[in-house]
Amino acid sequence: SSSAASTPSTRCAGSRSPLNITPLYALSGLLLTDSVVFSVTSCVTVVLLQCSEQYFFLILDSFNDLYTSYVIFCILLMSVVILVISIFNVEFYAVVPSIPCSRLALIGKIIHPQQVIHSVAHAVMGMLVAWCAAVMTKGKFQFLAVPCTPSESLDDAVPQMCLNEHHLFFLLSGAFMGYSYSLLYLINNMNYLPFPVIQQYKYLRFRRSLPLLVKHTCVESLYFVRNFCVTYYFFGYIPKVWISTTMDLHIDSKLHPLDTLTGLLDLSLFYHAWLCGVFLLITWYIVFLCFALYNTTSDPTFAEETDQCLPKILNSNPPLIIKFLALQDLMLLSQYSPVRRQEVFSLSQPGGHPHNWTAISRECLSLLSDLTQRLIAQQEAAAANGRAKQPAGELKVTPQTPAFFLVLNPKTSMSSLVKSSLMPLKTSPGSDVGSPFSSPALSCKMGILDVNSPWHGSVQSSQVTRRGPKLWTSGSDLQMNGSHHESFPLLSAAGVGSEAVQPRVIYTWLQNKQQQNALISSQHPEASIQAVFSDAQMHIWALEGLSHLVAASFTEDQFGVVQTTLPAILNTLLTLQEVVDRHFKLPHVSSKPPRISGSLVDTSYKTLRFALRASLKTALYRITTVFGEHLNAVQVSTEHKKRLQQFLEYKE
Amino acid sequence: LIVNSSPPKLTSEDMIAAFSQAVDWAGCTIRAFAWHPHTSKFAVALLDDSIRVYNSNSATIPSLKHRLQRNVAAMAWKPLCASILAVACQSCVLVWHLDPTSLSTRPSSGCAQVLSYPGHSPVTSLAWAPSGEVLLSASPVNTAMLVWDVSTENCVQLQWFGGGGVTYLAWSPDGSKVLAAAPSAVFRVWEAQMWTCERWPTIKGRCQTGCWSPDGSRLLFTVLGASVIYSLSFSEYRGEMQGQVGGSKTASIVADLSETTFETLYGEERIGGEIHSMVWDPTGERLAVIIRGKKEVLQTVIAVFRTRNSPVFELLPCGFLRGECGAQPQLIAFHPCFKKGALLTVCWSTGKISHIPFFFMSAHVPCTSSSPSPVIASTSVCE
């Protein structure tokens, strides 16, 4: 800290100051970590490979050929596979999970080109792993082409080459598993990097997750093999025939074909396919586990070797993971490190400005008020939706009705239109049919907005024709809201002309479609709420960091830098508290977290909102407990003062 | 009493009785007691598996009952929170969310969160992080202690091998370290940042109880079957020494409470024996100890010591506390925020609870007490 004092007034008191954060942020990419990850994982997997060979594959065979060139080539190939898998991990990881709010959105995600590439690559990798496994298992699995079993009648004939269906089965099962892995990776949000509840060393965390990983893999491999057998039973003949024709191989009539019931009831085949699946999944999961561990653990040992520091990182616009790590670091320093806290409360050398504190508190407060705004918007959308829903049952008296009919030609189709457009209102007033094209982005981000009033459907029809269905929405265009407000003028513009009948046609078409698509397009309320809170981990850390710093400032802040922002902090926290309270009172919002099964698939993002609620309250109590009656001197609005008093009396 | 026997042979009730901090857990009407860390509110677990919550500012006494709330071994209020109570039950940990403003006397069981983990029962000890973020739970049959994020019901196992399960937990008031006692002759001290631990084998038996000084730099503990208090000092916690517990090489004996004859107003009395539980007041100036005399010969008494932690550790006898005739002390606890000194709460075998204030000027927190007098004002002690 002595060097910090002597450095000029850079924003972050010196390059070697204790406010430095880990080099993860410093290096603009994740290359370093990834290389470390790779080296570790390749070691682990090579060891694992050999173990699994020794224990599984070669039990059935001799140990003699372990180090033949085949095996060495296979190990090299496996390393390449692992490298490719790591590259995919780096490309696809996310700290904020993207949660599909409806089945339609999920399908959209699955057929997204990026995901297709992911799936295809994984299928190919799976096939390569299966090939390695087949080659090393030897026996009947080793080669694709084998000499046919000689038949009695043609003893003198040249031995023909036949297709080894076992080998083909193996390869295809590998591809199938690779594809399934990729699909589950997407559906379960396996790319989400979960941050741990408590800090622990990487090795310990790794060791802790290992038994779970093995168990999960064994079970999952079993399911995959079962599914593959079913698939092969129905479609196995296609690749078989294709391969045999293109490679000019015969099909051995003596051997039992595998795409029959009796052929698939081969225990040895099933066992080998399962083992191969276990092997494949274990290596891939370990690669991901190491990647996740390396990127979510802040490593204290490097802290001195970087010239990036916390306030600077927070105020710039870094990649999301770096922002996450910076906030995690803020939480840790505020809780555990008096020396680094001192740095936060310090003044810049010439000038005497609390740059560090200003930067940190500003960023945290802006994060928290962003969340407040988002929640308010969601609640308003939900309330508006509730209002829109009410008249749907009562019909006729809705204020929009006359406005809508004015734009249509009154002579031609008034009565029929009234009938046709009101009929559905009678038939489906309360049904929770979400309109499939009612701008999925909006309704998703806005939570439980199930735009199910038929008015909405009709009103949006013109918009739909203009825009066309949007099957996938990336995270960036999730922010456009209020599109259903502009739809009224749009409609009138479309209706004024000669195409007065068109809305009706589209409308009825839409109604039909709606019923068909109800199953896949209905909004899942729980998923939408999860989506609103998907990045809440940042806010939790901001809350913890801020509250610990404020609490520590009571005794440690020599210059009183925190005092100046205390009203703003209290204001933000109390407002957020109100909004969060209101959120949990909305319909559809469960007040208890869903049960998390102790599986490998991390679903902690599903419960982030509960963690946020708890840490918000704890943060407020942390401040009120330390400051006590002194808070009465802080200038806040009377409403907030009342709330604070509640906190001071432990009645919240 | 069961010493060093392997836990699975016992029924879970025996196990709780053996490891509970209550002197006679199986027979006494009061099984567990917990002060709220910030307000004058406490919870009492009774023999009939119900829990009553008493509040000095309110006449309503909520009674908590839950289908899973059986054989309560310990309770703990969440710090930095108004009214969340964790209860260690036979099969799970229940977390009650009580509304502090509610006037209801029977909160529904819907207010309780159930935290269960396979193989983690019975739960015999609980400890909240002083920062209120996580909850630790321990079971003598499970080698892992669990770190719960209560809001999400997510848990992390802290596994160790050797020594059996975990019987008793004590989190240091500064939040830096956790004592975890095992059913065998070993205990561990975890540091609560990176969760690494130091292993402390004891010579005689398992660690029965322990308590921390307010700054977390000293641990006093006792060993089952011995009548001495050991002290273990830790290097001062600085936060920069990540992942180190920093304990000294050996523990030293600071008090010997073996049988001695005392001259009292009523003639000679023999007092002394095994130490069953021990609490240290939040200012670090009074230490109360339940000394369990041998059956029929010696009675169970509470000994109070005056203590000082800095610059050097001092432990001076202060006096004994005895209940009404026939009443044995069961549980002791200090009020966590008594302004005028220390307030010791004693639960007696008769079912009575008495509060015994000690008025003194604390060197740590200067308070505005009018009459600083280092005397024991015994309210319900019959002599």
Side-chain angles (χ1 to χ4, degrees):
Chain A
S1 60
S2 59
S3 67
S6 61
T7 45
S9 68
T10 47
R11 268 205 120 183
C12 37
S15 61
R16 294 269 182 271
S17 81
L19 261 189
N20 285 340
I21 48 174
T22 59
L24 279 180
Y25 331 159
L27 295 178
S28 53
L30 293 159
L31 285 170
L32 171 83
T33 39
D34 191 46
S35 63
V36 179
V37 172
F38 177 60
S39 59
V40 169
T41 47
S42 46
C43 292
V44 169
T45 37
V46 166
V47 169
L48 201 100
L49 184 84
Q50 291 180 347
C51 291
S52 51
E53 274 167 49
Q54 283 177 0
Y55 290 120
F56 298 127
F57 295 130
L58 291 179
I59 280 176
L60 306 162
D61 291 296
S62 63
F63 284 80
N64 303 338
D65 299 327
L66 181 62
Y67 297 107
T68 56
S69 53
Y70 258 135
V71 174
I72 289 165
F73 177 70
C74 283
I75 289 175
L76 283 177
L77 193 65
M78 286 296 303
S79 306
V80 173
V81 167
I82 285 161
L83 181 68
V84 174
I85 298 289
S86 336
I87 291 169
F88 269 99
N89 280 336
V90 174
E91 288 298 317
F92 276 77
Y93 82 92
V95 278
V96 176
S98 72
I99 298 159
C101 297
S102 62
R103 288 194 179 85
L104 190 67
L106 184 63
I107 293 168
K109 266 175 85 177
I110 291 173
I111 58 173
H112 193 285
Q114 230 184 355
Q115 176 60 29
V116 171
I117 293 172
H118 189 270
S119 300
V120 169
H122 276 77
V124 171
M125 293 301 127
M127 203 182 262
L128 286 180
V129 174
W131 182 81
C132 290
V135 165
M136 288 187 293
T137 318
K138 305 212 297 183
K140 60 184 174 184
F141 299 105
Q142 199 169 7
F143 300 107
L144 188 62
V146 286
C148 295
T149 24
S151 52
E152 303 89 27
S153 55
L154 298 160
D155 273 3
D156 50 343
V158 191
Q160 284 179 313
M161 290 308 271
C162 278
L163 175 75
N164 182 2
E165 203 182 347
H166 284 90
H167 186 87
L168 181 70
F169 182 87
F170 230 65
L171 290 189
L172 289 176
S173 82
F176 182 83
M177 282 181 193
Y179 183 75
S180 307
Y181 170 89
S182 160
L183 211 59
L184 282 185
Y185 185 85
L186 174 89
I187 292 170
N188 292 333
N189 272 319
M190 286 287 290
N191 60 342
Y192 169 61
L193 297 184
F195 284 86
V197 179
I198 52 169
Q199 298 294 306
Q200 263 187 309
Y201 288 110
K202 291 183 199 82
Y203 167 68
L204 290 173
R205 282 177 67 195
F206 181 77
R207 201 181 63 178
R208 206 182 65 213
S209 1
L210 215 49
L212 197 65
L213 188 140
V214 172
K215 194 181 127 200
H216 179 86
T217 312
C218 292
V219 175
E220 199 170 74
S221 174
L222 207 61
Y223 283 115
F224 283 175
V225 173
R226 184 201 63 184
N227 294 348
F228 176 68
C229 285
V230 173
T231 319
Y232 193 80
Y233 177 72
F234 288 111
F235 305 108
Y237 67 93
I238 303 172
K240 194 163 79 176
V241 171
W242 183 63
I243 293 271
S244 58
T245 46
T246 49
M247 294 184 70
D248 198 22
L249 293 171
H250 297 269
I251 288 175
D252 202 331
S253 51
K254 290 277 159 42
L255 292 174
H256 218 79
L258 279 179
D259 53 346
T260 55
L261 269 182
T262 41
L264 283 173
L265 279 174
D266 182 356
L267 264 187
S268 148
L269 180 75
F270 194 86
Y271 170 71
H272 276 92
W274 175 75
L275 267 187
C276 168
V278 168
F279 176 57
L280 178 149
L281 290 174
I282 277 192
T283 45
W284 291 7
Y285 279 136
I286 283 182
V287 172
F288 184 74
L289 187 67
C290 290
F291 176 74
L293 287 187
Y294 269 89
N295 284 300
T296 55
T297 315
S298 60
D299 201 324
T301 52
F302 294 100
E304 294 293 305
E305 296 162 15
T306 167
D307 52 4
Q308 294 263 15
C309 60
L310 192 55
K312 216 172 205 168
I313 287 287
L314 281 177
N315 277 346
S316 63
N317 213 351
L320 216 44
I321 184 154
I322 290 175
K323 193 154 194 178
F324 266 66
L325 286 168
L327 283 164
Q328 187 192 34
D329 193 52
L330 174 69
M331 181 272 287
L332 292 175
L333 89 87
S334 69
Q335 204 169 348
Y336 298 112
S337 176
V339 178
R340 293 179 74 197
R341 276 202 300 262
Q342 208 49 55
E343 203 68 28
V344 175
F345 301 139
S346 70
L347 300 178
S348 64
Q349 206 38 305
H353 296 288
H355 286 309
N356 288 337
W357 168 251
T358 318
I360 288 173
S361 62
R362 189 175 51 211
E363 180 55 28
C364 289
L365 288 181
S366 82
L367 263 178
L368 295 175
S369 23
D370 279 354
L371 180 68
T372 313
Q373 292 307 320
R374 205 195 302 165
L375 287 177
I376 288 175
Q378 186 223 10
Q379 282 162 15
E380 275 171 2
N385 182 45
R387 275 199 297 278
K389 209 171 167 180
Q390 268 181 348
E394 300 158 10
L395 23 134
K396 285 168 204 161
V397 273
T398 55
Q400 297 112 311
T401 320
F404 179 65
F405 288 121
L406 276 179
V407 297
L408 298 165
N409 188 347
K411 282 177 201 161
T412 52
S413 55
M414 181 68 175
S415 57
S416 63
L417 241 177
V418 171
K419 226 178 180 177
S420 68
S421 63
L422 291 185
M423 271 286 277
L425 292 185
K426 278 178 194 157
T427 50
S428 63
S431 65
D432 275 2
V433 181
S435 135
F437 299 113
S438 62
S439 125
L442 165 79
S443 37
C444 175
K445 208 64 182 176
M446 291 301 117
I448 45 159
L449 219 180
D450 51 335
V451 195
N452 61 352
S453 106
W455 281 114
H456 245 106
S458 66
V459 153
Q460 289 215 333
S461 56
S462 56
Q463 209 184 345
V464 167
T465 45
R466 187 174 54 96
R467 244 206 238 150
K470 200 171 181 190
L471 278 177
W472 52 81
T473 48
S474 64
S476 56
D477 53 27
L478 282 176
Q479 290 301 334
M480 38 167 224
N481 38 11
S483 60
H484 66 285
H485 296 303
E486 33 178 277
S487 53
F488 286 98
L490 249 170
L491 168 81
S492 38
V496 164
S498 57
E499 301 170 6
V501 199
Q502 199 197 357
R504 203 183 91 195
V505 178
I506 297 170
Y507 171 66
T508 41
W509 172 80
L510 206 72
Q511 279 292 310
N512 294 336
K513 268 282 175 251
Q514 220 174 36
Q515 272 144 23
Q516 286 167 15
N517 291 343
L519 194 69
I520 57 162
S521 66
S522 61
Q523 293 283 318
H524 195 273
E526 173 66 24
S528 337
I529 296 165
Q530 282 169 18
V532 179
F533 286 95
S534 58
D535 61 346
Q537 186 65 62
M538 277 202 298
H539 305 106
I540 292 170
W541 283 329
L543 280 169
E544 287 182 1
L546 260 191
S547 64
H548 275 292
L549 282 175
V550 170
S553 78
F554 192 70
T555 50
E556 293 176 11
D557 179 13
Q558 300 165 18
F559 309 109
V561 294
V562 174
Q563 277 180 38
T564 52
T565 33
L566 196 53
I569 291 172
L570 286 173
N571 217 356
T572 313
L573 293 193
L574 288 168
T575 315
L576 183 59
Q577 163 81 14
E578 273 169 39
V579 174
V580 168
D581 270 0
R582 230 181 299 146
H583 170 84
F584 278 94
K585 283 177 189 144
L586 287 178
H588 299 293
V589 177
S590 64
S591 58
K592 279 192 176 175
R595 205 88 189 93
I596 295 179
S597 55
S599 79
L600 186 72
V601 180
D602 193 282
T603 51
S604 56
Y605 59 87
K606 289 184 181 168
T607 53
L608 276 175
R609 60 184 186 277
F610 302 100
L612 178 88
R613 180 174 59 169
S615 43
L616 178 58
K617 217 164 223 184
T618 310
L620 273 163
Y621 269 117
R622 187 169 295 133
I623 296 173
T624 55
T625 305
V626 169
F627 279 78
E629 296 300 316
H630 298 285
L631 282 184
N632 292 332
V634 178
Q635 296 214 325
V636 285
S637 67
T638 42
E639 214 170 290
H640 283 167
K641 202 150 237 172
K642 260 187 220 158
R643 206 79 200 249
L644 271 184
Q645 196 55 40
Q646 294 269 307
F647 274 98
L648 284 170
E649 289 167 8
Y650 291 93
K651 282 189 176 159
E652 261 304 313
Chain B
L1 209 88
I2 309 103
V3 184
N4 284 349
S5 65
S6 54
K9 285 178 195 159
L10 307 172
T11 68
S12 51
E13 278 184 46
D14 290 342
M15 232 182 305
I16 299 170
F19 301 124
S20 164
Q21 291 293 297
V23 173
D24 177 21
W25 180 85
C28 177
T29 41
I30 300 175
R31 291 189 144 176
F33 178 92
W35 271 111
H36 189 277
H38 307 291
T39 56
S40 287
K41 174 158 75 177
F42 61 82
V44 182
L46 303 176
L47 193 60
D48 64 351
D49 293 330
S50 70
I51 292 174
R52 304 249 171 119
V53 179
Y54 295 85
N55 191 341
S56 67
N57 301 322
S58 156
T60 48
I61 301 165
S63 171
L64 314 179
K65 284 183 186 168
H66 195 282
R67 163 177 74 79
L68 293 170
Q69 189 172 288
R70 282 182 294 118
N71 295 333
V72 176
M75 292 184 295
W77 290 93
K78 182 178 174 180
L80 299 178
C81 187
S83 238
I84 292 183
L85 178 70
V87 182
C89 306
Q90 181 167 312
S91 58
C92 61
V93 177
L94 282 180
V95 180
W96 285 94
H97 293 251
L98 306 170
D99 182 0
T101 52
S102 158
L103 294 172
S104 149
T105 53
R106 263 306 297 275
S108 82
S109 55
C111 300
Q113 245 177 310
V114 182
L115 308 179
S116 62
Y117 191 84
H120 195 75
S121 70
V123 183
T124 55
S125 193
L126 292 174
W128 282 97
S131 61
E133 270 137 20
V134 290
L135 172 73
L136 279 181
S137 73
S139 166
V141 295
N142 194 344
T143 54
M145 59 181 194
L146 301 184
V147 185
W148 291 95
D149 181 355
V150 173
S151 59
T152 61
E153 302 188 3
N154 205 349
C155 78
V156 177
Q157 291 191 69
L158 288 177
Q159 194 93 33
W160 82 53
F161 299 98
V166 184
T167 57
Y168 177 73
L169 292 170
W171 206 311
S172 71
D174 70 330
S176 62
K177 285 180 275 293
V178 180
L179 162 75
S184 59
V186 66
F187 67 89
R188 294 188 194 228
V189 178
W190 293 81
E191 54 82 27
Q193 188 182 351
M194 295 307 285
W195 294 98
T196 52
C197 67
E198 260 179 16
R199 186 172 173 274
W200 285 87
T202 63
I203 302 161
K204 285 201 168 152
R206 69 176 167 89
C207 171
Q208 163 65 26
T209 182
C211 54
W212 290 93
S213 66
D215 61 352
S217 66
R218 186 173 296 276
L219 170 70
L220 298 183
F221 68 93
T222 65
V223 164
L224 189 74
S227 52
V228 290
I229 301 175
Y230 295 94
S231 156
L232 195 56
S233 65
F234 293 84
S235 50
E236 208 179 322
Y237 184 69
R238 282 252 162 267
E240 317 319 322
M241 33 177 284
Q242 214 180 30
Q244 291 168 41
V245 185
S248 57
K249 290 276 174 278
T250 53
S252 54
I253 293 175
V254 290
D256 187 350
L257 303 178
S258 48
E259 230 177 282
T260 331
T261 311
F262 286 90
E263 286 286 339
T264 65
L265 289 171
Y266 310 97
E268 283 196 350
E269 279 193 58
R270 296 184 66 76
I271 294 178
E274 246 174 56
I275 296 157
H276 191 82
S277 80
M278 190 160 60
V279 285
W280 209 338
D281 100 276
T283 60
E285 305 210 14
R286 291 291 181 280
L287 178 78
V289 175
I290 294 185
I291 304 173
R292 187 176 170 149
K294 286 191 196 98
K295 288 268 161 67
E296 311 301 321
V297 186
L298 299 163
Q299 51 178 313
T300 306
V301 292
I302 300 169
V304 181
F305 296 89
R306 227 173 292 169
T307 52
R308 196 164 67 174
N309 201 23
S310 65
V312 281
F313 180 72
E314 267 181 19
L315 187 104
L316 300 167
C318 184
F320 293 107
L321 278 174
R322 248 189 328 204
E324 292 166 356
C325 307
Q328 308 273 321
Q330 287 295 313
L331 285 160
I332 47 176
F334 274 107
H335 190 294
C337 48
F338 187 65
K339 292 276 162 30
K340 296 174 180 172
L343 180 71
L344 180 68
T345 303
V346 185
C347 303
W348 302 97
S349 56
T350 52
K352 272 193 182 173
I353 295 174
S354 54
H355 302 298
I356 300 139
F358 300 79
F359 294 106
F360 57 86
M361 287 281 273
S362 169
H364 284 270
V365 195
C367 58
T368 52
S369 139
S370 53
S371 58
S373 55
V375 290
I376 302 170
S378 44
T379 49
S380 70
V381 182
C382 88
E383 284 208 302

